[in-house]
Amino acid sequence: MQRDEPASGCLYLVGTPIGHLGDLSPRAKAVLAGATVIACEDTRHSGQLLSTLQAKGRKLSFHQHNTRTRLPQLLQALSDGDSVAVISDAGLPGISDPGEELAAQARCAGFEVICVPGPCAATTALVSSGLPSGRFCFEGFLPVKGKERRQRLEQIATEPRTTVLYEAPHRLLPLLQSLAEHCGSERPLQVARELTKRHEQQVGPTIAAALDHFQSLRPQGEFTLVLGGCPEQAPSEPDDQELLARLQQRIGEGASPSDAARQLAIETGISRRRLYSLLHQDPSE
Ligand code: SAM
């Protein structure tokens, strides 16, 4: 038999729609309607949803800028016997949204932590991409610039599993360009736009195709990217020595090192960055 929910002293991470309101589950509705405290990423944003459900619980804002002050208050509410529900603006709390730290601290303090599962852009995009979903990794938002971004891109480029990324519309093109540079432009990619909404769309099947599309149509809406994993090196793939010889031949014919790497990248599907770095490797390595 199922337990009565929401229970006193229990923390509920509740999934809410990422677009389509029909995706709010009956269980999520019941927990939100009955919780005595509801922590919302944005109380105004969630206000309408909660009033439709006639949720009477005390609403508290809970976001990245007030986590430090809210965490002890929410733990105190649990200890006072409240049932506490956490929701983000959309999707699953704790996935690139507030929730992770509260879940960790609540669990550490001995409270029950329960997820009421619901939509998540990452898994929704993954399963509809047609790319391998048996093993995958989630990268969320990459750092916007600097060494940390470069390192993450380098790791993603050699990652054999499918990778899921989030990105804001105004940064989609720079991300596609970085992915092309690090992974080669023929790497499989599906860009999921406006999932579960009226203008839901998938753009792919490669980084080059997505770049082409969004260079002519300004990215608008919400985007989740699903990138195919780095293929195992095919046995017929030329080794570094051969690639270097082909690069040097082009340079001998007048191409700049960067053009030589670009041309060979197009020809072989190997990333331009990797080819370019061959030109700067110590021959004794
Ligand atoms: N917690 C959320 C979840 O479970 O999906 C993610 C929150 S994160 C702050 C917001 C990002 O998720 C957006 O910038 C976008 O990359 C992705 N996203 C959210 N809704 C989406 C949708 N309907 N279609 C495509 N991507 C979406």
Side-chain angles (χ1 to χ4, degrees):
M1 204 176 73
Q2 276 165 4
R3 57 194 288 179
D4 282 343
E5 289 183 324
S8 158
C10 188
L11 174 69
Y12 294 90
L13 300 158
V14 183
T16 59
I18 55 171
H20 197 304
L21 294 180
D23 292 335
L24 187 68
S25 74
R27 184 177 170 210
K29 288 182 188 175
V31 167
L32 291 173
T36 53
V37 173
I38 306 174
C40 318
E41 187 178 5
D42 180 341
T43 46
R44 268 193 307 181
H45 177 97
S46 301
Q48 201 183 341
L49 174 79
L50 294 175
S51 76
T52 319
L53 300 176
Q54 297 181 329
K56 304 233 168 17
R58 187 155 53 98
K59 280 111 193 141
L60 293 176
S61 65
F62 178 54
H63 46 72
Q64 56 177 339
H65 304 296
N66 70 359
T67 308
R68 195 178 289 245
T69 48
R70 276 289 188 253
L71 279 176
Q73 294 168 354
L74 291 167
L75 293 175
Q76 185 59 50
L78 288 168
S79 140
D80 292 343
D82 276 308
S83 50
V84 177
V86 184
I87 54 173
S88 63
D89 287 350
L92 264 190
I95 301 294
S96 298
D97 265 343
E100 176 182 347
E101 210 177 331
L102 177 59
Q105 292 206 15
R107 195 167 279 290
C108 199
F111 297 109
E112 233 187 313
V113 179
I114 288 179
C115 175
V116 179
C120 172
T123 47
T124 307
L126 174 69
V127 297
S128 51
S129 70
L131 288 163
S133 57
R135 296 173 69 221
F136 68 94
C137 41
F138 174 65
E139 280 286 335
F141 294 96
L142 291 188
V144 177
K145 53 187 178 183
K147 187 171 154 210
E148 226 189 306
R149 178 179 172 93
R150 206 183 56 248
Q151 282 173 345
R152 293 271 287 275
L153 281 160
E154 280 165 8
Q155 285 165 2
I156 289 169
T158 55
E159 170 58 60
R161 293 168 295 181
T162 302
T163 297
V164 182
L165 299 129
Y166 286 159
E167 192 50 287
H170 63 284
R171 284 201 285 264
L172 181 69
L173 272 176
L175 177 60
L176 291 173
Q177 276 150 356
S178 301
L179 289 174
E181 195 178 313
H182 285 79
C183 308
S185 56
E186 291 312 311
R187 179 78 73 88
L189 176 82
Q190 281 299 133
V191 180
R193 173 175 172 264
E194 297 284 82
L195 287 162
T196 78
K197 302 184 196 176
R198 179 192 279 271
H199 298 294
E200 172 162 357
Q201 185 188 18
Q202 293 272 342
V203 179
T206 58
I207 299 177
L211 256 175
D212 200 38
H213 178 91
F214 290 111
Q215 270 161 346
S216 51
L217 253 179
R218 189 167 68 89
Q220 276 181 302
E222 299 203 86
F223 295 93
T224 298
L225 290 80
V226 184
L227 177 72
C230 176
E232 301 287 327
Q233 278 222 348
S236 60
E237 189 174 287
D239 63 18
D240 285 359
Q241 227 178 347
E242 189 191 331
L243 290 169
L244 187 58
R246 285 165 73 177
L247 285 167
Q248 281 164 344
Q249 186 187 350
R250 281 183 163 75
I251 293 168
E253 288 163 1
S256 67
S258 136
D259 278 346
R262 190 175 48 76
Q263 289 163 8
L264 199 56
I266 293 167
E267 209 174 283
T268 59
I270 296 171
S271 91
R272 187 187 69 79
R273 179 174 280 268
R274 191 185 139 210
L275 291 168
Y276 192 75
S277 72
L278 287 177
L279 288 167
H280 297 92
Q281 246 170 36
D282 181 347
S284 63
E285 271 176 28

